């Protein structure tokens, strides 16, 4: 996923592609990570007031959180999941 790309187009693209491949053995989903705790984001919080105001007090996911979501989507546990945009943000969109 490209940073800053709005979620609705990703949702629509995921659903469209999944519908085109429905009935086959291909599952198509998207992962939409929120703010992910990385050195780059931490540096931005320190030097950019707008970024700092937005993320300094919100929960941030880790790269491991995003990887766990990807692994789950690839697993048999998610065999019935297709056409979704999975938001991984530790609830930050609601904070």
């Amino acid at each position: 996923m490209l940073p800053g790309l709005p979620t609705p187009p990703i949702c629509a693209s995921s659903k469209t592609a999944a519908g085109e491949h429905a009935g086959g053995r291909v599952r198509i989903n998207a992962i939409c990570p929120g703010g992910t705790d990385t050195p780059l984001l931490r540096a931005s919080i320190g030097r950019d007031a707008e970024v700092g105001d937005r993320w300094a007090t919100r929960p941030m996911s880790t790269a491991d959180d995003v990887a766990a979501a990807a692994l789950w989507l690839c697993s048999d546990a998610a065999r019935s999941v297709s056409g979704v945009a999975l938001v991984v943000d530790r609830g930050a969109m609601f904070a």
Side-chain angles (χ1 to χ4, degrees):
M1 161 132 173
L2 299 173
L5 194 60
T7 301
I10 296 295
C11 293
S13 296
S14 179
K15 287 180 182 182
T16 299
E20 291 172 356
H21 297 283
R25 297 188 64 193
V26 175
R27 294 177 293 172
I28 298 172
N29 297 292
I31 297 175
C32 301
T36 303
D37 193 359
T38 63
L40 181 59
L41 183 57
R42 289 277 171 196
S44 295
I45 289 171
R47 73 170 182 267
D48 185 327
E50 184 179 333
V51 173
D53 288 346
R54 180 168 186 183
W55 290 109
T57 60
R58 288 186 181 192
M60 283 192 280
S61 299
T62 65
D64 287 343
D65 294 329
V66 178
L71 288 172
W72 178 75
L73 284 172
C74 293
S75 74
D76 285 341
R79 67 183 167 268
S80 295
V81 178
S82 189
V84 301
L86 181 61
V87 177
V88 179
D89 70 354
R90 290 195 179 189
M93 73 166 53
F94 303 109

